[in-house]
PDB file of all heavy atoms in Angstrom:
ATOM      1  N   PRO A 184     -19.524 -10.764   4.834  1.00 95.00           N
ATOM      2  CA  PRO A 184     -19.275 -10.132   3.539  1.00 95.00           C
ATOM      3  C   PRO A 184     -18.453  -8.870   3.636  1.00 95.00           C
ATOM      4  O   PRO A 184     -18.445  -8.077   2.693  1.00 95.00           O
ATOM      5  CB  PRO A 184     -20.716  -9.842   3.059  1.00 95.00           C
ATOM      6  CG  PRO A 184     -21.391  -9.447   4.344  1.00 95.00           C
ATOM      7  CD  PRO A 184     -20.825 -10.357   5.397  1.00 95.00           C
ATOM      8  N   ASN A 185     -17.813  -8.586   4.763  1.00 96.00           N
ATOM      9  CA  ASN A 185     -17.104  -7.333   4.940  1.00 96.00           C
ATOM     10  C   ASN A 185     -15.800  -7.262   4.199  1.00 96.00           C
ATOM     11  O   ASN A 185     -15.099  -8.353   4.034  1.00 96.00           O
ATOM     12  CB  ASN A 185     -16.768  -7.145   6.448  1.00 96.00           C
ATOM     13  CG  ASN A 185     -18.024  -6.930   7.297  1.00 96.00           C
ATOM     14  OD1 ASN A 185     -18.884  -6.104   6.930  1.00 96.00           O
ATOM     15  ND2 ASN A 185     -18.119  -7.617   8.389  1.00 96.00           N
ATOM     16  N   MET A 186     -15.439  -6.120   3.779  1.00 95.00           N
ATOM     17  CA  MET A 186     -14.088  -5.813   3.297  1.00 95.00           C
ATOM     18  C   MET A 186     -13.313  -5.358   4.569  1.00 95.00           C
ATOM     19  O   MET A 186     -13.920  -4.850   5.520  1.00 95.00           O
ATOM     20  CB  MET A 186     -14.087  -4.710   2.223  1.00 95.00           C
ATOM     21  CG  MET A 186     -14.797  -5.131   0.979  1.00 95.00           C
ATOM     22  SD  MET A 186     -14.044  -6.548   0.164  1.00 95.00           S
ATOM     23  CE  MET A 186     -12.662  -5.740  -0.736  1.00 95.00           C
ATOM     24  N   PRO A 187     -12.003  -5.498   4.558  1.00 97.00           N
ATOM     25  CA  PRO A 187     -11.249  -5.171   5.830  1.00 97.00           C
ATOM     26  C   PRO A 187     -11.396  -3.710   6.276  1.00 97.00           C
ATOM     27  O   PRO A 187     -11.271  -3.459   7.494  1.00 97.00           O
ATOM     28  CB  PRO A 187      -9.802  -5.518   5.464  1.00 97.00           C
ATOM     29  CG  PRO A 187      -9.773  -5.516   3.983  1.00 97.00           C
ATOM     30  CD  PRO A 187     -11.092  -5.936   3.492  1.00 97.00           C
ATOM     31  N   TRP A 188     -11.639  -2.748   5.376  1.00 96.00           N
ATOM     32  CA  TRP A 188     -11.773  -1.366   5.771  1.00 96.00           C
ATOM     33  C   TRP A 188     -13.246  -1.113   6.257  1.00 96.00           C
ATOM     34  O   TRP A 188     -13.534  -0.018   6.811  1.00 96.00           O
ATOM     35  CB  TRP A 188     -11.439  -0.429   4.623  1.00 96.00           C
ATOM     36  CG  TRP A 188     -12.148  -0.701   3.354  1.00 96.00           C
ATOM     37  CD1 TRP A 188     -13.444  -0.291   2.985  1.00 96.00           C
ATOM     38  CD2 TRP A 188     -11.683  -1.503   2.287  1.00 96.00           C
ATOM     39  NE1 TRP A 188     -13.736  -0.740   1.777  1.00 96.00           N
ATOM     40  CE2 TRP A 188     -12.709  -1.495   1.277  1.00 96.00           C
ATOM     41  CE3 TRP A 188     -10.503  -2.212   2.029  1.00 96.00           C
ATOM     42  CZ2 TRP A 188     -12.581  -2.191   0.086  1.00 96.00           C
ATOM     43  CZ3 TRP A 188     -10.369  -2.883   0.838  1.00 96.00           C
ATOM     44  CH2 TRP A 188     -11.385  -2.871  -0.149  1.00 96.00           C
ATOM     45  N   GLN A 189     -14.135  -2.040   6.146  1.00 96.00           N
ATOM     46  CA  GLN A 189     -15.478  -1.898   6.641  1.00 96.00           C
ATOM     47  C   GLN A 189     -15.608  -2.402   8.081  1.00 96.00           C
ATOM     48  O   GLN A 189     -16.065  -1.686   8.954  1.00 96.00           O
ATOM     49  CB  GLN A 189     -16.486  -2.631   5.804  1.00 96.00           C
ATOM     50  CG  GLN A 189     -16.600  -2.054   4.347  1.00 96.00           C
ATOM     51  CD  GLN A 189     -17.534  -2.950   3.480  1.00 96.00           C
ATOM     52  OE1 GLN A 189     -17.476  -4.132   3.522  1.00 96.00           O
ATOM     53  NE2 GLN A 189     -18.353  -2.235   2.668  1.00 96.00           N
ATOM     54  N   GLU A 190     -15.109  -3.605   8.295  1.00 97.00           N
ATOM     55  CA  GLU A 190     -15.124  -4.168   9.679  1.00 97.00           C
ATOM     56  C   GLU A 190     -14.074  -5.260   9.748  1.00 97.00           C
ATOM     57  O   GLU A 190     -14.092  -6.222   8.958  1.00 97.00           O
ATOM     58  CB  GLU A 190     -16.511  -4.684   9.998  1.00 97.00           C
ATOM     59  CG  GLU A 190     -16.621  -5.259  11.459  1.00 97.00           C
ATOM     60  CD  GLU A 190     -18.038  -5.685  11.796  1.00 97.00           C
ATOM     61  OE1 GLU A 190     -18.976  -5.003  11.376  1.00 97.00           O
ATOM     62  OE2 GLU A 190     -18.178  -6.710  12.440  1.00 97.00           O
ATOM     63  N   SER A 191     -13.213  -5.147  10.676  1.00 98.00           N
ATOM     64  CA  SER A 191     -12.149  -6.204  10.910  1.00 98.00           C
ATOM     65  C   SER A 191     -11.847  -6.217  12.392  1.00 98.00           C
ATOM     66  O   SER A 191     -12.333  -5.402  13.165  1.00 98.00           O
ATOM     67  CB  SER A 191     -10.936  -5.878  10.060  1.00 98.00           C
ATOM     68  OG  SER A 191     -10.425  -4.605  10.354  1.00 98.00           O
ATOM     69  N   GLN A 192     -11.014  -7.148  12.806  1.00 98.00           N
ATOM     70  CA  GLN A 192     -10.697  -7.302  14.214  1.00 98.00           C
ATOM     71  C   GLN A 192      -9.215  -7.536  14.394  1.00 98.00           C
ATOM     72  O   GLN A 192      -8.523  -8.099  13.500  1.00 98.00           O
ATOM     73  CB  GLN A 192     -11.505  -8.395  14.878  1.00 98.00           C
ATOM     74  CG  GLN A 192     -11.246  -9.797  14.383  1.00 98.00           C
ATOM     75  CD  GLN A 192     -12.124 -10.840  14.964  1.00 98.00           C
ATOM     76  OE1 GLN A 192     -13.364 -10.595  15.052  1.00 98.00           O
ATOM     77  NE2 GLN A 192     -11.632 -11.985  15.404  1.00 98.00           N
ATOM     78  N   LEU A 193      -8.649  -7.206  15.552  1.00 98.00           N
ATOM     79  CA  LEU A 193      -7.314  -7.436  15.946  1.00 98.00           C
ATOM     80  C   LEU A 193      -7.274  -8.536  16.949  1.00 98.00           C
ATOM     81  O   LEU A 193      -7.916  -8.482  18.017  1.00 98.00           O
ATOM     82  CB  LEU A 193      -6.712  -6.159  16.527  1.00 98.00           C
ATOM     83  CG  LEU A 193      -5.354  -6.216  17.154  1.00 98.00           C
ATOM     84  CD1 LEU A 193      -4.302  -6.831  16.158  1.00 98.00           C
ATOM     85  CD2 LEU A 193      -4.892  -4.880  17.642  1.00 98.00           C
ATOM     86  N   ASN A 194      -6.568  -9.606  16.608  1.00 98.00           N
ATOM     87  CA  ASN A 194      -6.497 -10.773  17.452  1.00 98.00           C
ATOM     88  C   ASN A 194      -5.130 -10.882  18.101  1.00 98.00           C
ATOM     89  O   ASN A 194      -4.121 -10.686  17.442  1.00 98.00           O
ATOM     90  CB  ASN A 194      -6.701 -12.077  16.596  1.00 98.00           C
ATOM     91  CG  ASN A 194      -7.926 -12.023  15.795  1.00 98.00           C
ATOM     92  OD1 ASN A 194      -9.038 -12.347  16.175  1.00 98.00           O
ATOM     93  ND2 ASN A 194      -7.794 -11.537  14.487  1.00 98.00           N
ATOM     94  N   ILE A 195      -5.106 -11.240  19.400  1.00 98.00           N
ATOM     95  CA  ILE A 195      -3.885 -11.420  20.175  1.00 98.00           C
ATOM     96  C   ILE A 195      -3.904 -12.804  20.766  1.00 98.00           C
ATOM     97  O   ILE A 195      -4.895 -13.230  21.369  1.00 98.00           O
ATOM     98  CB  ILE A 195      -3.706 -10.362  21.290  1.00 98.00           C
ATOM     99  CG1 ILE A 195      -3.866  -8.973  20.672  1.00 98.00           C
ATOM    100  CG2 ILE A 195      -2.412 -10.519  22.005  1.00 98.00           C
ATOM    101  CD1 ILE A 195      -3.964  -7.850  21.698  1.00 98.00           C
ATOM    102  N   ALA A 196      -2.807 -13.566  20.581  1.00 97.00           N
ATOM    103  CA  ALA A 196      -2.778 -14.925  21.024  1.00 97.00           C
ATOM    104  C   ALA A 196      -1.422 -15.265  21.670  1.00 97.00           C
ATOM    105  O   ALA A 196      -0.448 -14.716  21.355  1.00 97.00           O
ATOM    106  CB  ALA A 196      -3.052 -15.873  19.860  1.00 97.00           C
ATOM    107  N   GLU A 197      -1.504 -16.293  22.624  1.00 96.00           N
ATOM    108  CA  GLU A 197      -0.305 -16.833  23.154  1.00 96.00           C
ATOM    109  C   GLU A 197       0.226 -17.844  22.133  1.00 96.00           C
ATOM    110  O   GLU A 197      -0.553 -18.629  21.536  1.00 96.00           O
ATOM    111  CB  GLU A 197      -0.602 -17.564  24.474  1.00 96.00           C
ATOM    112  CG  GLU A 197      -1.229 -16.661  25.556  1.00 96.00           C
ATOM    113  CD  GLU A 197      -0.374 -15.449  25.839  1.00 96.00           C
ATOM    114  OE1 GLU A 197       0.833 -15.583  26.037  1.00 96.00           O
ATOM    115  OE2 GLU A 197      -0.928 -14.339  25.895  1.00 96.00           O
ATOM    116  N   LEU A 198       1.528 -17.897  21.934  1.00 95.00           N
ATOM    117  CA  LEU A 198       2.163 -18.720  20.894  1.00 95.00           C
ATOM    118  C   LEU A 198       3.140 -19.669  21.462  1.00 95.00           C
ATOM    119  O   LEU A 198       3.945 -19.344  22.309  1.00 95.00           O
ATOM    120  CB  LEU A 198       2.831 -17.724  19.871  1.00 95.00           C
ATOM    121  CG  LEU A 198       3.755 -18.415  18.815  1.00 95.00           C
ATOM    122  CD1 LEU A 198       2.891 -19.188  17.837  1.00 95.00           C
ATOM    123  CD2 LEU A 198       4.543 -17.316  18.086  1.00 95.00           C
ATOM    124  N   SER A 199       3.070 -20.937  20.952  1.00 94.00           N
ATOM    125  CA  SER A 199       4.084 -21.942  21.285  1.00 94.00           C
ATOM    126  C   SER A 199       4.619 -22.469  19.979  1.00 94.00           C
ATOM    127  O   SER A 199       3.972 -23.182  19.224  1.00 94.00           O
ATOM    128  CB  SER A 199       3.450 -23.121  22.060  1.00 94.00           C
ATOM    129  OG  SER A 199       4.393 -24.137  22.203  1.00 94.00           O
ATOM    130  N   ILE A 200       5.892 -22.083  19.720  1.00 91.00           N
ATOM    131  CA  ILE A 200       6.558 -22.535  18.490  1.00 91.00           C
ATOM    132  C   ILE A 200       6.830 -24.027  18.530  1.00 91.00           C
ATOM    133  O   ILE A 200       6.673 -24.739  17.565  1.00 91.00           O
ATOM    134  CB  ILE A 200       7.887 -21.765  18.287  1.00 91.00           C
ATOM    135  CG1 ILE A 200       7.570 -20.266  18.036  1.00 91.00           C
ATOM    136  CG2 ILE A 200       8.673 -22.313  17.105  1.00 91.00           C
ATOM    137  CD1 ILE A 200       6.785 -19.954  16.765  1.00 91.00           C
TER     138      ILE A 200
END
Side-chain angles (χ1 to χ4, degrees):
N185 292 313
M186 297 296 279
W188 53 84
Q189 294 175 319
E190 183 176 319
S191 56
Q192 65 186 43
L193 172 55
N194 308 273
I195 305 169
E197 303 303 315
L198 171 67
S199 172
I200 296 295

